Amino acid sequence: MSPSITCQQLDKQTFRQVKVYSGISPNVLRRVFGGWVLFAVIVGALVSFAPHISIQFEVITFIILMLFTVAMFWQSRISEGWPSLLLFQNRVCVVRDPQAREFICIPPSYISAVRPTIIKPNKRAVEIVLNPDALSAHDTLVLGEAIWPRTDRVLVLTHFKSRERVCAELKQWLDKYVDSATNN
């Protein structure tokens, strides 16, 4: 019997097909990057038009601005964002390693509750409580690899979206999934 809770590594193409419930969206990243580019252009213009500044200082400033711009673009993942909670192949997936695009994916039948919580000291999060009777030893090991390991639940930060809204949207999907599963 294969384990029901899995750790999945997703690729860039997959992110276009998933439903993201929480995380930093590509639109936010585009705005941040656009703001940085505007800032870099303004600083570059000020430095180049300022009187009595050496060419050496101007060149160093331009090189630093260009390096930071390239580094921001390289790290920003503008096309996919940084999701923390999503749906993939009718499973609820919580980020495990954001840089590697790894997610802990849980079948909806394992989920007994979704509620807002706080990760100490003050991080707003969503708690997905799992049915402990459905968990195997392997499932518990996979849950132990989460960012905030627990044996019977997973925690996920909510970025730029209220945790109550994320909970309501996820509960709504779970209700639809359960209804469709019982009708089939």
Side-chain angles (χ1 to χ4, degrees):
M1 178 177 151
S2 66
S4 295
I5 295 178
T6 59
C7 188
Q8 298 268 336
Q9 187 168 13
L10 306 180
D11 58 6
K12 288 182 179 186
Q13 297 301 325
T14 305
F15 279 111
R16 294 185 180 137
Q17 303 165 359
V18 299
K19 165 82 170 119
V20 177
Y21 280 103
S22 180
I24 301 173
S25 76
N27 291 335
V28 170
L29 292 176
R30 286 183 193 107
R31 288 184 196 128
V32 168
F33 186 71
W36 169 259
V37 170
L38 181 64
F39 171 77
V41 167
I42 290 171
V43 168
L46 289 173
V47 167
S48 65
F49 293 123
H52 309 296
I53 291 184
S54 70
I55 297 293
Q56 197 175 31
F57 181 78
E58 287 181 26
V59 169
I60 290 172
T61 302
F62 291 136
I63 289 172
I64 289 172
L65 288 173
M66 290 298 291
L67 288 175
F68 273 96
T69 302
V70 168
M72 277 189 71
F73 184 75
W74 181 65
Q75 284 292 323
S76 69
R77 290 174 38 174
I78 288 176
S79 63
E80 72 233 41
W82 292 89
S84 58
L85 176 65
L86 52 86
L87 290 179
F88 175 65
Q89 296 178 341
N90 287 330
R91 289 175 170 247
V92 175
C93 299
V94 175
V95 69
R96 181 188 165 280
D97 183 354
Q99 187 69 31
R101 297 177 183 94
E102 286 183 0
F103 292 83
I104 294 176
C105 297
I106 304 160
S109 60
Y110 279 41
I111 299 172
S112 61
V114 178
R115 57 183 172 230
T117 190
I118 292 183
I119 300 172
K120 302 287 185 203
N122 62 352
K123 295 178 187 213
R124 295 176 185 261
V126 170
E127 178 180 54
I128 300 172
V129 181
L130 306 175
N131 181 359
D133 298 332
L135 300 175
S136 68
H138 184 270
D139 294 336
T140 307
L141 286 174
V142 173
L143 291 173
E145 296 175 5
I147 294 174
W148 293 281
R150 304 291 191 274
T151 56
D152 63 343
R153 66 197 69 221
V154 288
L155 303 172
V156 60
L157 291 178
T158 55
H159 301 286
F160 304 111
K161 207 172 189 184
S162 78
R163 55 194 172 153
E164 290 79 12
R165 183 174 165 197
V166 172
C167 287
E169 289 175 1
L170 190 56
K171 285 177 189 176
Q172 183 180 15
W173 179 82
L174 286 168
D175 290 342
K176 284 181 185 177
Y177 183 83
V178 169
D179 288 345
S180 69
T182 57
N183 290 337
N184 290 335

